[in-house]
Amino acid sequence: MFNLSYLRNKQPFVSLKYKFYVLFVCLFLSPSLWSNENSTPLTINDKKGNWNIQWGYNRSYYTQSDINFRGPGYEYTLKGVDAKDKPESFKADVYLNPSKFEIPQYNLKFSYFFTDRFFLAFGQDHMKYVVTQGQPVKYSGYIDPGVIAKNQMAMSTEAALFTLLFPEHVQEMAGYHGGDQTISLTPDILKYEHTDGLNYLFLDFGWITPLYTSSDGLSGVSLVSTIGGGPVVCRSDVRVLGKGQNNNFHLSGYGVSGYVATRYEFSRTYFLELGGKGGYIDLTDVLTSGGSNRASQNFGFLELVLSGGISI
């Protein structure tokens, strides 16, 4: 059935990202609109007062995480859970289509240089986080058998098929568990994804260190470094013991990070950047299967980022 409430919830977030995309394309294609004899720096190292706008894509990697699930009749923890990212394969209809640009794992950043070397930056890292299906994990806590029975009345299709084939598997979760038991994360036990996504909204303090500048000052190589943090907004697709939903965007926690990259600048206007960002994310309030049901987790992450940008 066509879901009007889904469109109402998603549209403001997508529209804002679409405007950012159009702004970036216009600026990239028309730098002359923003330059004049008084504001154009003499060399690439004269950056004070400049804005940098950049766009790129990432691959993300995560440490193992203990995930706590809680709600009426249950509270338990899955220990040492593995997860991975979900990069979109290259398709012209996705990567070159402004209406679908939020699908890949992207990075958007705006930077303002208040001196020639130091700047403030803000933006969004759109990562994706998917718990690996089939992995064995230990678990501890309590689950009321009635919760399992209730969830089986509203199971997802993939969970229902697995339960039909292996009806006793999910029943292993009932009761008290001290942490020595092991369970395989099949669809009847858990589906857990932040694929639309794990959105890290950051404010960074940064500095740039010139490594090489051409004799005419029009091109060069620099080292870019930043530290910062900010909130994490998730759109979590979760099934707990077979029951769940694809939730709305939700402020789920926070992150802190550091970033180091090599930047190649040319024509005093454009640049390419290859870098890595490492940090820590603490999700204290993840939406799961509706109502007061929640999850929480924390983990380390590493991003490899390739981006391009413009200086104005």
Side-chain angles (χ1 to χ4, degrees):
M1 182 179 293
F2 188 74
N3 193 332
L4 291 176
S5 63
Y6 168 80
L7 288 180
R8 286 195 295 267
N9 288 324
K10 184 176 177 65
Q11 186 62 36
F13 196 81
V14 173
S15 297
L16 179 60
K17 291 188 290 185
Y18 180 81
K19 292 175 183 177
F20 279 143
Y21 179 86
V22 173
L23 174 63
F24 178 78
V25 170
C26 291
L27 291 173
F28 189 84
L29 294 178
S30 304
S32 60
L33 295 176
W34 298 87
S35 61
N36 57 54
E37 292 181 357
N38 295 324
S39 62
T40 302
L42 297 176
T43 74
I44 60 171
N45 297 322
D46 297 316
K47 299 181 180 298
K48 184 177 180 180
N50 284 4
W51 282 91
N52 284 182
I53 303 174
Q54 64 193 98
W55 175 271
Y57 298 101
N58 70 73
R59 288 299 310 268
S60 303
Y61 306 89
Y62 309 104
T63 63
Q64 288 186 333
S65 176
D66 293 349
I67 308 178
N68 175 263
F69 296 90
R70 55 194 181 276
Y74 70 94
E75 181 171 359
Y76 65 95
T77 300
L78 301 177
K79 301 182 178 182
V81 178
D82 288 319
K84 57 186 178 182
D85 67 346
K86 190 178 181 181
E88 186 74 16
S89 58
F90 182 80
K91 301 173 185 175
D93 182 52
V94 173
Y95 282 84
L96 302 180
N97 187 340
S99 67
K100 298 180 180 180
F101 84 97
E102 81 280 3
I103 294 177
Q105 298 176 174
Y106 66 83
N107 298 73
L108 173 66
K109 182 161 65 176
F110 299 84
S111 305
Y112 176 74
F113 283 85
F114 57 90
T115 75
D116 288 336
R117 288 194 58 190
F118 297 100
F119 61 90
L120 293 175
F122 63 94
Q124 177 189 357
D125 291 356
H126 177 73
M127 297 177 280
K128 299 187 179 185
Y129 180 99
V130 180
V131 166
T132 304
Q133 283 285 299
Q135 63 177 297
V137 300
K138 292 185 180 297
Y139 62 101
S140 63
Y142 173 72
I143 301 174
D144 189 317
V147 172
I148 296 176
K150 182 178 179 181
N151 284 9
Q152 287 184 329
M153 301 298 293
M155 299 184 77
S156 64
T157 301
E158 60 267 38
L161 290 174
F162 196 92
T163 301
L164 182 64
L165 295 173
F166 306 97
E168 300 302 319
H169 188 239
V170 69
Q171 299 299 330
E172 297 177 26
M173 298 287 290
Y176 290 94
H177 304 280
D180 295 327
Q181 295 88 348
T182 299
I183 195 79
S184 294
L185 298 187
T186 47
D188 57 332
I189 303 298
L190 182 68
K191 174 185 177 180
Y192 188 89
E193 303 180 355
H194 313 301
T195 48
D196 196 25
L198 185 67
N199 299 297
Y200 176 35
L201 310 177
F202 59 85
L203 175 63
D204 285 357
F205 170 76
W207 59 98
I208 189 165
T209 305
L211 300 177
Y212 164 78
T213 304
S214 64
S215 58
D216 59 7
L218 298 180
S219 62
V221 178
S222 302
L223 184 68
V224 179
S225 307
T226 68
I227 54 173
V232 177
V233 176
C234 292
R235 188 160 193 255
S236 305
D237 189 358
V238 182
R239 308 292 184 274
V240 177
L241 303 175
K243 178 185 176 183
Q245 59 192 21
N246 191 1
N247 293 279
N248 295 323
F249 292 102
H250 178 69
L251 178 60
S252 301
Y254 69 93
V256 293
S257 61
Y259 174 73
V260 177
T262 301
R263 174 183 291 190
Y264 172 63
E265 300 176 78
F266 54 99
S267 300
R268 282 208 309 247
T269 301
Y270 306 106
F271 60 87
L272 297 173
E273 195 169 290
L274 176 63
K277 176 180 283 190
Y280 167 83
I281 286 177
D282 189 0
L283 302 180
T284 58
D285 190 46
V286 177
L287 301 179
T288 57
S289 55
S292 61
N293 298 280
R294 293 290 191 272
S296 58
Q297 63 176 144
N298 55 73
F299 51 86
F301 72 94
L302 174 66
E303 288 182 83
L304 299 180
V305 184
L306 176 64
S307 62
I310 184 173
S311 177
I312 58 175

